[in-house]
Amino acid sequence: MKKLLALAISLYCFGINAQHTFTGKVIDNTTQQSISFATIYFPELENGTTANENGEFSIDISSGTFKLVVSSIGYETKSLQIKIPMSEDFIIVLSESAIEMEEVIISTPFHKLQSENVMKVEQKKIKELKASGAVTLAEGITNIAGVESVTTGNSIGKPVIRGLSSNRVLVYTQGVRLENQQYGDEHGLGINDAGIESVEVIKGPASLLYGSDALGGVLYLNPERFANANESSADASVNYFSNTRGYATNAGYKASKDGFKFLFRGSLTEHSDYETNRYRVTNSRYREQDFKAGLGYQASKFKTEFRYNLNNAKIGLPEEIGIQSTNRAPLLPYQNIDNHIFSSKSTLFFEDSSLDVVLGYTYNNRKEFEEHHHHDEDDHENEEDHEDEHDEDEEITEPALHMKLKTFSYNVKYNLPELGRFETIVGVQGMNQVNTNYGEEILIPNATTNDFGVLATSHIHFETVDVQLGARYDYRNIAIENNAEKSFNSFNGALGFKTDIFNRVTARLNLASGFRAPNLAELASDGTHEGTNRYEIGNINLDYEQNLQVDLALEYKNEHVELFANGFYNKVNDYIYLNPNGEFIEDDPVFIYEQQDATLYGGEFGLHLHPHPLDWLHFESSFETVTGKLDNDDYLPLIPANSLTNTVRVEFDFQSVKDSYVFVKLRSTFAQNNTNPFETASDAYNLLSVGIGGSFEFLKNDMAVTLSATNLLDTEYIHHLSRLKPDGILNMGRNVNLGITYTL
């Protein structure tokens, strides 16, 4: 590390005066007229600027060869390689397009636009997800086709990608893996959407890129960008939710000057129990505080940034319908979780190559409180007195379950010089993780986990086809206190092709293998899992899961319509699952971990209609389906029901109101009758949502206002992946969300 730091300093000192001014102009391909306010961005440098009203721009950039991405509303996003310095102004020509602007995909290794990517990756802006009325980040990602969430009320949600969840889906934030005891059904993401710019989803095995725990896919959260060079901005927002009488507020500031850049953002969220059209769901309330900060520095041949996120959440765990109130302080039982995320990301730029070094440290401090004594409701004059007694218990009760999970991770990749048609990356990744118990209850033992992986991947550009291939080796060791030490290793690979098979029809075919070592809970749990009301017993003899998935994606685009069909077939060997053995311990059913081969298949299909010249009118429709079965013909548990989503969206601009829109969305969820023997079927239902929004100038600054209503008809329904389903507890009823953001 000392040598690396010394090299970085020497490179900086050598190249500090090698900054060059890159100037140019953006023009229309047809009219040759200038395009005002186009965005100029260098993704590798994370630096950019905006063209002026005459389409002209100027930005200081170090010497070297870099990717440049230029975008403007109503035009096709352009990606090109340029070499700095240039002897004259650079003219960038954009073509008109009704297709929405593209973004650079960060979660894949070569940071390309989606149209250039061999692997299909879904990307959504957090701003779009919130405008749809989503209460939480976990709820927002369910707007992405192929993604669902296992929920415990509104406060806890776990991502499900094509039927796979828990430790089979890896979450990345700030460029590092998020570790927060995600094995538990009632353990949520532990991160707030404030300060997150966009979310990317890799649907399928990503072990080549991320190692174990990415067998089912990756949820990649991109933090907000730093300010452009020598610029600053501040903003504040507030959202009100009628159903829970809750609110979410956040405020942030960022600035950049002379190579230094920083940002910070704080947020506070509180919700009372959510309401159905019959009752409020007792103890579904929660309170969340979140703070994010970042500090960066950029020189000629070196850039670095450090980010920190503290998230504290106090989350009620609903058990039955009882006290009806709009108080926000959680009752017993509840979780109190502190999640600290430290990340460091640095890049050294050489003449035609670069070295990326990402270091991460997460500290998850999880406390779960439960009642040690009970009061009879009849002893109280009213329900409010009863609730006060719970609050009193809460203040004096020690946590029954208290675990600390400390994870250090590293990710080092070298981007080799391009060799003809080849772009190649080699790298090493690893992790050291320590789990320690401090409470009186112990579900999983103390243990230390160490990962190490080495990978190589290439993107090859041919005239009519792009090919991406790679291979990886991983090793994991788990040392369990007072128990066996287990080791697992696996080779994995990926091969993908992208080509235009017909005019305007793009095909992507990807084959990838993945693996997942059994987690600590699966190997060695022995105790009552209070959040799920069952006694879990691990199996120290479990083998690792290995899968092979085939993906075929077809896309057709013209100026009027976009069509897509994404199909997959996923074979998972030695799939690990929980199974009741018919016994009871302390009145809780006993569940044991078993293994059996499994198969999942399905896909996502849809269209986006934007008839030219009626570019303001959008009709989007998507259908998603997944089926999962064990080799004994039993259906897998927690497989989401098929669903169809239809959205009509109208976008328009007035002289005084910009970026205005109105939408109507109908999500139809079909009955789920393909259930595991220990599940019950779920009924079909329809949810209607509407929304309106836009931005305007207020006191010489921009103010954005959104108004949306979800479940507008107050439909009674229970989502198949709701953990409250066995108790017959309904999901949220009608909710109206008002959001205001003011930017300085």
Side-chain angles (χ1 to χ4, degrees), residues 238-257:
V238 59
N239 279 262
Y240 176 75
F241 304 89
S242 66
N243 184 287
T244 62
R245 302 189 187 181
Y247 62 87
T249 63
N250 84 80
Y253 176 77
K254 56 185 176 181
S256 174
K257 187 173 179 61

Side-chain angles (χ1 to χ4, degrees), residues 57 75 107 140 146 215 250 277 297 337 360 362 379 407 470 516 538 605 720:
F57 64 87
Y75 290 87
S107 56
L215 177 142
N250 84 80
N277 65 5
Y297 180 73
I337 307 164
T362 61
D379 292 338
T407 306
R516 183 183 74 90
F605 312 89
H720 186 68

Side-chain angles (χ1 to χ4, degrees), residues 26-43:
V26 186
I27 63 173
D28 185 288
N29 179 51
T30 304
T31 66
Q32 301 298 302
Q33 298 296 310
S34 61
I35 299 175
S36 303
F37 310 118
T39 299
I40 318 297
Y41 188 64
F42 292 87

Side-chain angles (χ1 to χ4, degrees), residues 226-227 253-257 260-264 293-296:
F226 287 100
Y253 176 77
K254 56 185 176 181
S256 174
K257 187 173 179 61
F260 288 96
K261 45 193 175 182
F262 72 91
L263 58 80
F264 62 84
L295 177 65

Side-chain angles (χ1 to χ4, degrees), residues 162 203-205 510-512 547-552 566-572 598-603 627 629 631:
R162 288 177 167 174
K203 293 183 286 190
N510 283 274
L511 297 88
N547 80 326
L548 177 65
Q549 180 166 312
V550 180
D551 285 270
L552 176 62
N566 306 327
F568 74 95
Y569 182 86
N570 187 7
K571 178 66 175 179
V572 185
T599 304
L600 298 99
Y601 53 90
T627 300
K629 299 186 76 172
D631 267 11

Side-chain angles (χ1 to χ4, degrees), residues 585-609:
I585 296 179
E586 297 175 352
D587 297 326
D588 290 320
V590 175
F591 280 70
I592 59 175
Y593 284 97
E594 298 181 355
Q595 284 188 295
Q596 190 178 156
D597 292 350
T599 304
L600 298 99
Y601 53 90
E604 304 85 42
F605 312 89
L607 66 88
H608 178 190
L609 179 65

Side-chain angles (χ1 to χ4, degrees), residues 249-445:
T249 63
N250 84 80
Y253 176 77
K254 56 185 176 181
S256 174
K257 187 173 179 61
D258 299 330
F260 288 96
K261 45 193 175 182
F262 72 91
L263 58 80
F264 62 84
R265 183 169 300 278
S267 69
L268 173 64
T269 302
E270 283 193 316
H271 290 273
S272 65
D273 297 339
Y274 76 82
E275 188 174 23
T276 70
N277 65 5
R278 287 199 248 163
Y279 47 74
R280 289 193 177 272
V281 177
T282 307
N283 207 27
S284 59
R285 61 194 72 174
Y286 66 98
R287 185 176 196 266
E288 183 180 31
Q289 301 171 88
D290 191 88
F291 175 76
K292 294 181 175 73
L295 177 65
Y297 180 73
Q298 186 159 348
S300 172
K301 296 293 185 180
F302 173 66
K303 70 169 185 177
T304 186
E305 68 177 53
F306 174 82
R307 292 182 186 255
Y308 170 66
N309 179 204
L310 167 61
N311 183 276
N312 170 260
K314 192 173 181 180
I315 304 170
L317 297 175
E319 294 183 312
E320 59 185 5
I321 304 303
I323 296 166
Q324 299 289 289
S325 81
T326 55
N327 289 347
R328 298 190 180 102
L331 308 172
L332 296 170
Y334 69 89
Q335 300 175 347
N336 194 342
I337 307 164
D338 290 310
N339 209 44
H340 302 261
I341 305 170
F342 302 84
S343 65
S344 167
K345 184 169 69 171
S346 302
T347 302
L348 298 171
F349 295 99
F350 307 106
E351 186 61 31
D352 294 307
S353 62
S354 60
L355 178 69
D356 298 320
V357 180
V358 181
L359 306 176
Y361 179 76
T362 61
Y363 170 40
N364 179 259
N365 186 12
R366 176 177 295 276
K367 299 177 182 178
E368 297 187 4
F369 296 81
E370 57 191 69
E371 291 185 77
H372 291 285
H373 57 280
H374 303 271
H375 298 280
D376 187 344
E377 288 188 34
D378 295 336
D379 292 338
H380 301 280
E381 293 181 1
N382 55 54
E383 290 174 334
E384 291 298 325
D385 291 337
H386 181 63
E387 185 166 335
D388 291 340
E389 287 293 330
H390 277 280
D391 292 339
E392 187 177 327
D393 288 345
E394 171 192 317
E395 296 174 359
I396 62 174
T397 302
E398 292 295 321
L401 184 71
H402 185 191
M403 295 185 294
K404 294 182 180 181
L405 187 69
K406 302 174 183 178
T407 306
F408 169 74
S409 61
Y410 57 91
N411 186 351
V412 181
K413 292 180 181 176
Y414 179 57
N415 302 274
L416 279 69
E418 287 192 27
L419 183 61
R421 301 175 184 272
F422 284 75
E423 291 180 76
T424 301
I425 294 174
V426 296
V428 295
Q429 296 174 336
M431 175 187 79
N432 170 263
Q433 185 175 88
V434 179
N435 181 73
T436 310
N437 285 276
Y438 294 89
E440 61 182 79
E441 291 184 6
I442 296 179
L443 174 60
I444 59 175

Side-chain angles (χ1 to χ4, degrees), residues 115-223:
S115 59
E116 304 169 324
N117 235 11
V118 172
M119 181 186 299
K120 177 67 175 176
V121 179
E122 302 286 350
Q123 187 192 67
K124 288 287 187 182
K125 294 284 190 182
I126 294 296
K127 182 170 65 174
E128 297 175 29
L129 302 181
K130 294 184 72 172
S132 68
V135 178
T136 64
L137 175 61
E139 181 187 352
I141 62 174
T142 63
N143 288 281
I144 300 172
V147 182
E148 278 289 354
S149 183
V150 177
T151 62
T152 305
N154 290 329
S155 57
I156 298 174
K158 299 176 67 65
V160 179
I161 299 178
R162 288 177 167 174
L164 296 177
S165 60
S166 196
N167 279 79
R168 297 181 183 92
V169 173
L170 189 59
V171 178
Y172 258 62
T173 182
Q174 299 175 192
V176 301
R177 58 188 297 153
L178 177 62
E179 293 290 323
N180 62 352
Q181 304 281 12
Q182 58 263 40
Y183 69 88
D185 286 351
E186 82 297 0
H187 297 178
L189 281 173
I191 190 166
N192 189 278
D193 58 30
I196 297 177
E197 183 174 290
S198 63
V199 55
E200 297 174 11
V201 179
I202 300 176
K203 293 183 286 190
S207 291
L208 170 66
L209 306 178
Y210 298 102
S212 180
D213 301 339
L215 177 142
V218 174
L219 186 70
Y220 199 97
L221 306 174
N222 291 313

